[in-house]
Amino acid sequence: METVRESGHALVVGAGIGGLAAALALGRTGWRVTVLEQAAAIGEIGAGIQLSPNGVRVLSALGVLDGLLPTAFHPEAVEMRLGRSGRHVFRIELAETAVRRWGAPYLHVHRADLLDALLTGTAGSGLDITVRTGSTVRSYEQTPEGVTVSLDSGRRVSGSLLVGADGIHSVIRGQMLGADEPRFTGHVAWRVTVPVERLGRAVPPPTACLWVGDGRHAITYRLRGGALVNLVAVVERDEWRGESWTERGTRQEALADFEGWHPTVTTTLREADTHYRWALFDREPLENWADGRVALLGDACHPMLPYLAQGATMAIEDARVLAHRLQHTDDVPRALRSYAAARRPRTARVQAGARRNGQRFHQGDDFAYLPLWLLGKLAPRLYHRRLDWLYGYRAP
């Protein structure tokens, strides 16, 4: 338990991964926290996420890792295969290396399991954290002494600081900085989960496996101790309207996008019950995340493409740094400015890296992946070394 003093009352808008991690981090340093979530119940559409060691260490410090591990999957390696033939481009050991080199495991988890672990953590002994569902925040106002949010119910809630962890369509960011102009990347992702028992010989390998090809790619990995397969399959499109995680497509549409691909990819798409498609939009890094006693966190301030698998982990890191900056000061605005200044360069670098990977994955010509094949064969340690800045980061 890290409680050091009574710091005041923190309001957190959004009970997603970033918002609940922020509530826990603040609660463990003495803050009374109220989380305001617009949904009637906290839940997540079935999907997986990859948690790299930099995020896993924070979850351990927040006291939720032990509750998450029983449902997590430990991938043996990271690998790249050609999307149609399945031939290896490279395979690089990950399981033991992650713990030895970066001090924590690399995990695959179901989003719902991570949310459950975080939510359970907010009820921990000695923590003063309240999660209020059905609470849609419309706006905020602040004075030098505090900040107040207005809910669509007409109710007003006041605190010492406000954390906007309300996602890509953040109301808090909108008021702070005005409307943003996301750019459609030309990529649309299919998301499905399928029980392993349905896939027979087409079951994906027990790795973080990237399948690459001309104008499209796919990622397969396992969840819930290996019992469930998660597939994200990305295809290029000329235009798209709307930015949603929950839009549904059809099995036929998904299979048409990956016609002729390896049976592991096509069988997984065919056996899925529900096919969600997600248009990928990109944004430039924000110059400012803080406004007096109000700060942004996670997707509200640095939404990123999924091609480095760092979206959730960056939000978890944000939470730890935010609480640390607030821990030993009564000057909330100054602490929030310090938090934003500390996080902006790192998250901007991750955003840029994810953008570059999205271009690399769609090179098409098999010979274009020859340098990566050589890297895997001749210098696998170089692959690990190139990730030290990312996975080796230790949030305070």
Side-chain angles (χ1 to χ4, degrees):
M1 189 80 171
E2 300 175 5
T3 300
V4 293
R5 63 184 172 86
E6 175 60 34
S7 299
H9 184 201
L11 307 178
V12 177
V13 182
I17 292 169
L20 291 177
L24 268 172
L26 290 167
R28 290 175 67 87
T29 53
W31 285 83
R32 180 165 64 93
V33 184
T34 298
V35 182
L36 302 168
E37 168 56 41
Q38 67 176 348
I42 296 174
E44 181 70 42
I45 288 175
I49 61 173
Q50 301 185 55
L51 289 176
S52 51
N54 45 313
V56 172
R57 281 193 300 272
V58 177
L59 294 177
S60 179
L62 294 179
V64 301
L65 182 59
D66 288 346
L68 184 62
L69 284 176
T71 62
F73 184 78
H74 297 250
E76 295 176 1
V78 59
E79 61 180 329
M80 178 184 284
R81 299 186 181 207
L82 299 181
R84 293 184 179 274
S85 68
R87 292 184 61 184
H88 274 95
V89 177
F90 66 76
R91 175 189 165 99
I92 297 176
E93 196 278 331
L94 184 63
E96 295 182 2
T97 298
V99 175
R100 183 176 64 251
R101 188 177 187 100
W102 301 304
Y106 195 107
L107 302 176
H108 295 160
V109 302
H110 198 290
R111 284 180 179 269
D113 296 338
L114 177 54
L115 282 171
D116 284 347
L118 290 167
L119 191 59
T120 298
T122 64
S125 176
L127 301 184
D128 190 354
I129 301 173
T130 302
V131 179
R132 295 180 180 171
T133 55
S135 300
T136 300
V137 174
R138 294 302 186 192
S139 63
Y140 69 85
E141 57 188 68
Q142 61 179 315
T143 68
E145 291 75 35
V147 60
T148 299
V149 297
S150 297
L151 308 184
D152 64 353
S153 64
R155 185 177 182 181
R156 291 161 61 85
V157 184
S158 297
S160 308
L161 70 95
L162 171 64
V163 180
D166 48 343
I168 57 175
H169 300 299
S170 171
V171 170
I172 305 304
R173 184 191 64 233
Q175 180 173 339
M176 182 188 297
L177 301 174
D180 65 348
E181 296 184 3
R183 177 183 61 83
F184 178 50
T185 61
H187 292 183
V188 175
W190 291 98
R191 299 186 294 115
V192 303
T193 55
V194 182
V196 165
E197 61 191 24
R198 293 189 189 178
L199 299 177
R201 298 180 62 181
V203 66
T207 63
C209 187
L210 172 65
W211 308 77
V212 294
D214 183 12
R216 67 209 67 214
H217 76 273
I219 300 169
T220 57
Y221 54 93
R222 301 191 196 180
L223 307 171
R224 291 184 169 160
L228 195 65
V229 168
N230 188 83
L231 168 69
V232 180
V234 179
V235 64
E236 294 180 2
R237 285 281 182 270
D238 291 334
E239 62 181 39
W240 201 267
R241 294 182 180 181
E243 186 176 16
S244 172
W245 288 69
T246 59
E247 180 177 328
R248 294 194 183 193
T250 68
R251 177 180 291 107
Q252 291 74 19
E253 289 171 321
L255 286 169
D257 281 341
F258 287 86
E259 184 178 359
W261 270 49
H262 192 272
T264 292
V265 175
T266 57
T267 302
T268 303
L269 289 171
R270 186 173 60 252
E271 291 298 323
D273 293 325
T274 307
H275 299 72
Y276 292 100
R277 54 185 173 187
W278 162 34
L280 301 177
F281 286 76
D282 200 10
R283 294 164 170 82
E284 294 301 319
L286 297 178
E287 295 184 1
N288 181 40
W289 297 4
D291 171 26
R293 291 177 173 269
V294 183
L296 302 173
L297 181 147
D299 282 351
C301 52
H302 52 69
M304 56 189 60
L305 300 174
Y307 306 138
L308 268 178
Q310 287 292 305
T313 293
M314 287 298 107
I316 292 167
E317 284 186 4
D318 286 349
R320 181 72 171 177
V321 175
L322 174 70
H324 179 262
R325 290 294 193 271
L326 287 161
Q327 190 169 3
H328 298 296
T329 181
D330 292 321
D331 190 340
V332 170
R334 182 178 181 181
L336 296 185
R337 291 194 300 271
S338 174
Y339 149 75
R343 294 297 296 159
R344 280 198 307 268
R346 177 167 170 80
T347 56
R349 185 178 180 184
V350 176
Q351 284 176 301
R355 189 177 300 121
R356 287 193 299 272
N357 273 358
Q359 297 167 353
R360 291 169 181 154
F361 295 167
H362 292 197
Q363 294 181 88
D365 185 349
D366 291 354
F367 289 102
Y369 301 107
L370 181 60
L372 293 174
W373 178 83
L374 290 171
L375 176 67
K377 290 291 185 181
L378 303 178
R381 290 184 181 180
L382 178 60
Y383 176 89
H384 294 134
R385 195 155 54 240
R386 291 175 64 181
L387 288 170
D388 283 345
W389 72 273
L390 185 57
Y391 296 168
Y393 174 83
R394 295 180 180 271

